[in-house]
């Protein structure tokens, strides 16, 4: 019997709440690992050298008040209630904000953008594309579109945030693990402790990075229970310390204690803000990891579990320290009851590993996004989970992070300098987010400039104060964050500059379509069986590499496909919008252009399935053209035919499907609804390729012949023509340009991965054509 509407709605509501609470629970292990372990080192870093701990308790109460209001204003007010709303089709992070701004103001760091990209369903979100007709927002939009300098500044701002995230990927595992095992100092003498702490931390870090290639899908289910156990543990210890030592410590949340603290400590109190800042490390993860969860689930987890647990933990530590003034070590473990220290130590180490794992995975993700936007050299990306989107592993980056992490651990050997470096990286990312959010408020949300100024003034002032306290400790460890971000910034800018120059050269030297038409249908050469796949970055025109190849070889394939794999400034491209396909020249030339579009968070796998999708998209393009159902989306100009959006094979159940059978199955009959176009018999073929075509609508004779030829070419095999370009600066170029192009870019190109699709194909079917570019 059918459920009544009210009963069904209640059932659906229960299911949705169950899913929401499950996501909130899972987010504890992915999003809040780093933020949850901050009580391990906040008080220790704050009271390291800058301020003392007197019997008046003005220092400890002032620090507690600052911690409380920092946690309330930055993670809770700024991120939970404001920044999380600025998602890019469900994705968050620095590049999500940059992508939103690029699409709205029609500026982009990608050189091969097309008008057709603006027709993607995820390209426009609510008000995106509907700029305000009057006011400051429209003037700001037009200013950004006109001035290249402002566009570059926007890109630099986004890259600064990305570089600081990468630097944090080095520093956070070091300080987390080092702080977690610092409890050993209470169980052994100081002489023995200094010889144990660093080796143990290094062993844990080596194990953490060494296990990255296995992925987290096998043990990921343990992350949330570990972090939840840790949060319950520190909150319980905090409640115990409050009632045991100082039940009135809650009064310290009054802002008046901040004033008393700063009045008494003055400049030293200002410098101690670098330690207090560490209480919000990991807050950016709430926004960066938004794509794995929902806004509401992240808000529920923070407001109901993480935020109360952290406040209780800090209050408990303050309550203990307010009654124990003679202790020298004000770290976390001194406030833990002695009989619980070993169990808490074990839980702390596990929580530190989970928090470190989250930031390492986040570093892999940000580098993948930078590479997709043409701002980082090509690296090998391994997908460690087939079920969970975004779980990736980058071998080269993993080992670089491990070596850098071990270097700072062994070099600093204390949480104070590690905290100074980590704090500077964290607050810089937050400042970048604040700056980008101010533009989002005006350009995307269409709010008044007054509201954007208030946002920048309020949160920017708080973060600038913490930033000044961190940068002043340049010689005490903060230089590491700056050095790491500077190195990665140089790499990104050199690669981006070289990539843009290479594309500009390709555009200026592309071959005219008239030259191609003058060759005739055979292109003036012998056409052999098979498909020639020519990779190019151009979205229009014939690449110079093709003419270079034709003039040196007397034969080419019967079907030629100019393949462009490009990324667009959206997080995901739907499978039904993946391909743009069009003819180059008349149909009898059998020349096609296929543009494959991916979002900066999409997974691009180069395998046989991709080949089948590519061939199927061309076949579907031919079929829809013959039946009159084709919908063109863009006119690329007089030298290029119109392109058609074609989805992957899985998206059109009533379209053409490709099938491969053994010879013994070649005589299998088709169904009454589908008919098969089979290739003619060949001598001892391994596989027989066929297209399964819908019975209706009818396909005309010319399209059937075109499909037949495409099928025969697919069965003969695909050859991959890869271009290897060697860039040199022109004579007369400046010394800086020669240094960047001849040495910097070439060094990165030689030591980076080639295009990923080249790895999954045998060398026998790969042709390489080399050219020297003078830019």
């Amino acid at each position: 019997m059918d459920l009544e509407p009210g009963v069904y709605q209640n059932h659906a509501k229960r299911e949705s709440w169950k899913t929401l609470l499950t996501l909130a629970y899972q987010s504890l292990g992915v999003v809040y690992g780093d933020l949850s372990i901050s009580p391990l080192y906040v008080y220790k870093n704050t009271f390291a050298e800058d301020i003392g701990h007197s019997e008046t308790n003005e220092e400890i109460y002032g620090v507690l008040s600052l911690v409380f209001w920092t946690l309330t204003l930055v993670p809770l007010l700024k991120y939970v209630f404001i920044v999380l709303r600025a998602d890019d089709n469900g994705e968050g992070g620095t590049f999500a904000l940059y992508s939103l701004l690029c699409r709205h103001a029609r500026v982009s760091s990608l050189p091969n953008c097309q008008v057709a990209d603006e027709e993607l369903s995820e390209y426009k979100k609510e008000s995106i594309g509907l700029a305000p007709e009057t006011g400051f927002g429209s003037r700001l939009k037009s200013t950004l579109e006109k001035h290249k300098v402002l566009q570059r500044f926007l890109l630099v701002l986004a890259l600064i945030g990305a570089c600081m995230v990468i630097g944090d990927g080095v520093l956070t595992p070091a300080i987390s693990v080092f702080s977690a095992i610092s409890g050993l100092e209470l169980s052994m003498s100081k002489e023995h402790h200094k010889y144990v702490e660093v080796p143990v931390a290094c062993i844990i870090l080596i194990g953490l990075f060494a296990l990255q290639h296995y992925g987290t899908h096998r043990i990921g289910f343990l992350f949330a229970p570990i972090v939840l156990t840790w949060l319950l543990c520190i909150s319980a210890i905090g409640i115990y310390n409050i009632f045991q030592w100082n039940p009135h410590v809650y009064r310290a949340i009054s802002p008046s204690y901040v004033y008393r603290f700063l009045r008494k400590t003055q400049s030293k109190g200002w410098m101690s803000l670098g330690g207090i800042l560490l209480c919000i490390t990991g807050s950016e993860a709430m926004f960066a990891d938004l794509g794995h969860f929902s806004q509401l689930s992240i808000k529920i987890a923070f407001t109901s579990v993480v935020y109360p647990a952290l406040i209780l933990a800090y209050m408990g530590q303050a309550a203990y320290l307010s009654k124990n003034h003679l202790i020298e070590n004000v770290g976390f473990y001194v406030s833990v009851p002695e009989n619980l220290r070993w169990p808490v130590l074990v839980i702390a180490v596990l929580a530190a590993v989970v928090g470190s794992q989250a930031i390492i995975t986040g570093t892999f993700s940000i580098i993948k996004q930078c590479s997709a936007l043409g701002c980082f050299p090509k690296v090998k990306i391994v997908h460690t989970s087939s079920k969970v989107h975004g779980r990736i592993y980058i071998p080269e980056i993993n080992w670089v992070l491990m070596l850098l992490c071990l270097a700072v651990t062994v070099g600093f050997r204390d949480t104070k300098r590690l905290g100074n470096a980590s704090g500077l990286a964290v607050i810089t990312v937050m400042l970048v987010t604040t700056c980008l959010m101010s533009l989002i408020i005006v350009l995307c949300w269409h709010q008044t400039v007054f509201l954007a100024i208030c946002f920048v003034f309020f949160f920017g002032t708080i973060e600038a104060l913490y930033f000044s306290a961190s940068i002043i400790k340049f010689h005490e460890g903060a230089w590491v964050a700056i050095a790491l971000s500077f190195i990665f910034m140089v790499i990104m800018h050199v690669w981006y500059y070289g990539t843009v120059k290479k594309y500009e050269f390709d555009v200026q030297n592309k071959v005219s379509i008239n030259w191609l038409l003058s060759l005739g249908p055979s292109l003036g050469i012998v056409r052999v069986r098979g498909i020639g796949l020519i990779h190019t970055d151009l979205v229009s025109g014939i690449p110079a590499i093709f003419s270079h190849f034709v003039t040196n070889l007397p034969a080419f394939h019967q079907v030629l496909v100019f393949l462009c794999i490009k990324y667009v400034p959206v997080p995901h491209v739907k499978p039904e919008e993946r391909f743009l396909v069009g003819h180059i020249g008349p149909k009898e030339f059998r020349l096609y252009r296929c543009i494959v579009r991916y979002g900066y968070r999409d997974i691009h796998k180069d395998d046989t399935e991709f080949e089948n999708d590519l061939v199927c998209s061309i076949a579907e393009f031919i079929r829809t053209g013959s039946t009159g159902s084709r919908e063109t989306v863009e006119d690329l100009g007089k030298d290029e035919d119109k392109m058609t959006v074609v989805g992957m094979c899985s998206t059109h159940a009533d379209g053409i499907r490709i099938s491969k059978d053994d010879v013994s199955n070649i005589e299998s009959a088709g169904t009454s609804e589908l008919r098969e176009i089979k290739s003619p018999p060949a001598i001892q073929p391994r596989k027989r390729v066929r297209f399964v075509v819908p019975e209706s609508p009818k396909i005309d004779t010319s399209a059937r012949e075109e499909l037949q030829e495409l099928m025969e070419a697919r069965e003969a095999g695909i050859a991959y023509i890869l271009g290897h370009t060697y860039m040199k600066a022109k004579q007369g170029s400046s010394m800086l340009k020669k240094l960047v192009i001849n040495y910097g870019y070439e060094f990165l190109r030689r030591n980076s991965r080639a295009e990923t699709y080249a790895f999954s194909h045998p060398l026998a079917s790969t042709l390489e054509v080399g050219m020297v570019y003078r830019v």
Side-chain angles (χ1 to χ4, degrees):
M1 186 175 67
D2 295 337
L3 291 172
E4 296 180 1
V7 177
Y8 177 79
Q9 290 176 4
N10 291 334
H11 177 73
K13 187 177 293 185
R14 285 197 299 271
E15 287 296 319
S16 63
W17 274 105
K18 181 180 179 181
T19 303
L20 186 64
L21 293 177
T22 301
L23 287 174
Y25 168 73
Q26 293 174 346
S27 70
L28 293 175
V30 177
V31 178
Y32 297 109
D34 188 14
L35 182 61
S36 299
I37 59 177
S38 57
L40 288 171
Y41 43 77
V42 169
Y43 282 113
K44 187 173 183 178
N45 277 50
T46 303
F47 289 97
E49 293 179 3
D50 299 322
I51 57 176
H53 178 35
S54 64
E55 294 184 1
T56 61
N57 288 327
E58 287 187 350
E59 294 87 356
I60 189 63
Y61 289 162
V63 170
L64 174 60
S65 185
L66 281 167
V67 168
F68 172 81
W69 287 108
T70 303
L71 278 172
T72 302
L73 295 177
V74 179
L76 184 61
L77 181 59
K78 177 186 172 182
Y79 281 94
V80 171
F81 291 108
I82 301 177
V83 175
L84 284 181
R85 295 179 56 230
D87 65 297
D88 182 12
N89 294 289
E91 297 291 339
T94 303
F95 275 105
L97 297 178
Y98 176 72
S99 175
L100 277 175
L101 292 172
C102 286
R103 300 206 304 271
H104 186 83
R106 291 182 175 87
V107 297
S108 178
S109 62
L110 299 169
N112 55 356
C113 293
Q114 298 171 273
V115 177
D117 297 337
E118 298 182 14
E119 300 301 322
L120 291 169
S121 57
E122 290 199 4
Y123 196 92
K124 297 181 179 180
K125 177 194 173 188
E126 298 176 355
S127 60
I128 295 300
L130 301 175
E133 297 181 0
T134 60
F136 181 80
S138 59
R139 293 195 299 270
L140 178 61
K141 175 179 178 293
S142 61
T143 302
L144 281 174
E145 292 175 350
K146 291 178 182 178
H147 296 85
K148 294 290 184 181
V149 174
L150 295 179
Q151 297 177 20
R152 292 174 183 172
F153 175 77
L154 202 62
L155 176 62
V156 169
L157 197 62
L159 292 182
I160 288 174
C163 291
M164 283 298 182
V165 170
I166 298 172
D168 199 31
V170 173
L171 298 166
T172 293
I175 189 173
S176 300
V177 173
F178 203 88
S179 300
I181 65 172
S182 63
L184 294 173
E185 63 184 340
L186 301 178
S187 304
M188 59 182 65
S189 63
K190 191 173 183 179
E191 291 75 15
H192 293 131
H193 172 258
K194 64 181 180 181
Y195 295 111
V196 173
E197 192 174 32
V198 174
V200 172
C202 291
I203 291 173
I204 294 175
L205 289 172
I206 291 173
L208 174 65
F209 284 99
L211 294 176
Q212 289 297 312
H213 71 281
Y214 291 109
T216 58
H217 58 284
R218 290 191 179 94
I219 59 174
F221 68 94
L222 295 175
F223 288 176
I226 290 174
V227 175
L228 181 60
T229 303
W230 168 251
L231 289 172
L232 294 176
C233 177
I234 61 176
S235 58
I237 294 173
I239 294 173
Y240 168 80
N241 285 328
I242 291 172
F243 286 99
Q244 177 70 21
W245 298 103
N246 190 351
H248 302 290
V249 72
Y250 67 89
R251 297 174 180 172
I253 65 177
S254 171
S256 62
Y257 284 93
V258 176
Y259 171 74
R260 298 177 191 176
F261 169 75
L262 294 176
R263 183 184 62 181
K264 180 178 180 179
T265 56
Q266 296 182 1
S267 62
K268 290 186 177 179
W270 166 63
M271 295 179 67
S272 69
L273 294 178
I276 298 172
L277 162 66
L278 298 176
C279 71
I280 54 175
T281 56
S283 299
E284 188 73 22
M286 285 192 288
F287 186 47
D289 293 329
L290 183 60
H292 301 294
F293 306 96
S294 64
Q295 291 186 28
L296 190 55
S297 64
I298 291 179
K299 292 178 180 179
I300 290 174
F302 182 78
T303 56
S304 62
V305 179
V306 180
Y307 179 76
L310 290 176
I311 296 299
L312 289 173
Y314 287 117
M315 280 188 175
Q317 286 183 261
Y320 177 86
L321 294 174
S322 66
K323 300 300 181 181
N324 296 271
H325 304 96
L326 300 179
I327 58 174
E328 296 181 1
N329 186 354
V330 293
F332 169 78
Y333 288 101
V334 295
S335 62
V336 178
E338 189 173 352
N339 56 342
L340 295 178
R341 283 176 182 169
W342 279 106
V344 171
L345 175 66
V346 173
I347 299 173
V349 171
L350 293 175
V353 169
V354 172
S356 302
Q357 172 64 47
I359 192 64
I360 293 171
T361 304
T363 304
F364 293 156
S365 178
I366 200 75
I367 288 178
K368 177 185 179 296
Q369 294 176 33
C370 290
S371 180
L373 294 176
C375 298
F376 200 85
K378 301 295 182 182
V379 290
K380 181 181 180 180
I381 297 177
V382 179
H383 302 278
T384 59
S385 175
S386 59
K387 297 180 180 179
V388 181
H389 174 77
R391 296 284 176 83
I392 61 174
Y393 165 69
I394 304 177
E396 300 93 332
I397 301 300
N398 181 68
W399 301 122
V400 170
L401 290 179
M402 186 191 76
L403 293 176
L404 292 174
C405 191
L406 292 175
V408 297
T409 303
V410 175
F412 286 157
R413 302 190 180 191
D414 65 74
T415 57
K416 180 178 180 295
R417 288 180 289 181
L418 285 171
N420 292 338
S422 179
L424 181 60
V426 168
I427 199 62
T428 304
V429 177
M430 291 183 176
L431 275 171
V432 169
T433 300
T434 299
C435 294
L436 295 178
M437 272 299 302
S438 64
L439 297 176
I440 293 289
I441 291 173
V442 176
L443 294 177
C444 301
W445 292 354
H446 300 172
Q447 301 297 322
T448 63
V449 65
F450 175 75
L451 188 62
I453 292 175
C454 290
F455 179 85
V456 172
F457 179 78
F458 183 75
F459 292 107
T461 301
I462 297 173
E463 291 162 358
L465 185 63
Y466 280 116
F467 179 82
S468 64
S470 298
I471 199 68
I472 200 69
K473 298 184 178 181
F474 179 85
H475 295 290
E476 299 176 34
W479 63 270
V480 172
I482 297 176
L484 289 174
S485 62
F486 177 77
I487 292 172
F488 283 103
M489 181 67 75
V490 169
I491 292 174
M492 289 181 181
H493 275 75
V494 168
W495 184 261
Y496 176 73
Y497 179 78
T499 301
V500 170
K501 287 297 179 182
K502 177 179 176 296
Y503 183 80
E504 291 176 352
F505 182 90
D506 287 338
V507 171
Q508 294 170 2
N509 293 273
K510 63 183 180 181
V511 180
S512 170
I513 192 73
N514 295 327
W515 171 82
L516 189 68
L517 294 175
S518 65
L519 299 178
S522 65
L523 301 182
I525 53 178
V526 178
R527 303 291 289 270
V528 298
R529 291 189 66 196
I531 297 177
L533 206 60
I534 305 171
H535 182 269
T536 176
D537 293 327
L538 296 176
V539 294
S540 63
I542 308 299
I545 188 176
F546 177 70
S547 62
H548 181 72
F549 186 87
V550 168
T551 54
N552 286 275
L553 286 179
F556 218 94
H557 301 84
Q558 66 186 110
V559 175
L560 293 178
V561 180
F562 292 91
L563 175 66
C564 174
I565 299 177
K566 56 177 276 188
Y567 288 87
V568 292
V570 295
H572 303 285
V573 175
K574 293 183 177 180
E576 56 266 26
E577 300 173 323
R578 179 76 67 202
F579 296 96
L580 278 176
V581 186
H583 279 113
I584 299 179
K587 291 184 179 180
E588 56 268 19
F589 277 48
R590 301 299 187 251
L591 296 179
Y592 305 92
R593 181 180 306 282
C594 187
I595 300 173
V596 191
R597 302 179 292 183
Y598 290 92
Y600 58 82
R601 293 294 296 268
D602 275 334
I603 297 174
H604 171 40
K605 294 183 178 179
D606 303 285
D607 48 20
T608 305
E609 183 180 352
F610 173 75
E611 294 178 358
N612 291 338
D613 281 331
L614 179 63
V615 175
C616 261
S617 67
I618 299 175
E620 185 67 16
F621 165 77
I622 297 170
R623 184 186 74 87
T624 54
S626 70
T627 59
S629 59
R630 178 185 301 171
E631 181 180 354
T632 57
V633 298
E634 180 186 9
D635 190 347
L636 295 175
K638 62 181 182 179
D639 292 338
E640 192 71 29
D641 292 335
K642 292 183 178 181
M643 307 291 288
T644 301
V645 177
V646 182
M648 299 170 62
C649 290
S650 57
T651 62
H652 40 78
D654 57 344
I656 289 182
R657 289 183 285 117
I658 193 171
S659 176
K660 291 184 180 181
D661 290 328
D662 295 326
V663 178
S664 57
N665 297 329
I666 193 62
E667 299 301 329
S668 59
T671 65
S672 58
E673 297 181 356
L674 298 174
R675 59 188 177 191
E676 301 171 3
I677 299 180
K678 299 180 182 179
S679 58
I683 301 176
Q684 296 181 348
R686 292 183 179 180
K687 292 285 184 180
R688 187 58 50 87
V689 179
R690 60 182 181 177
F691 288 139
V692 183
V693 186
E695 186 71 25
S696 179
K698 300 292 184 180
I699 301 177
D700 59 33
T701 305
S702 63
R704 181 176 291 276
E705 293 176 355
E706 195 173 354
L707 284 172
Q708 182 76 34
E709 190 168 348
L710 176 65
M711 183 174 52
E712 294 174 11
R714 177 64 183 93
E715 184 175 294
I718 298 179
Y720 303 87
I721 293 87
L722 311 178
H724 280 255
T725 56
Y726 303 88
M727 291 177 56
K728 296 290 183 182
K730 294 179 181 178
Q731 291 185 355
S733 300
S734 64
M735 184 63 67
L736 180 60
K737 183 176 181 179
K738 290 180 180 179
L739 184 65
V740 170
I741 296 295
N742 297 352
Y743 299 99
Y745 181 79
E746 276 302 302
F747 174 80
L748 293 176
R749 186 193 62 80
R750 288 195 302 268
N751 290 278
S752 64
R753 296 273 177 169
E755 295 291 345
T756 52
Y757 61 83
F759 287 102
S760 56
H761 308 303
L763 293 177
S765 61
T766 302
L767 298 174
E768 297 184 0
V769 182
M771 293 186 67
V772 179
Y773 286 3
R774 292 284 181 179
V775 297

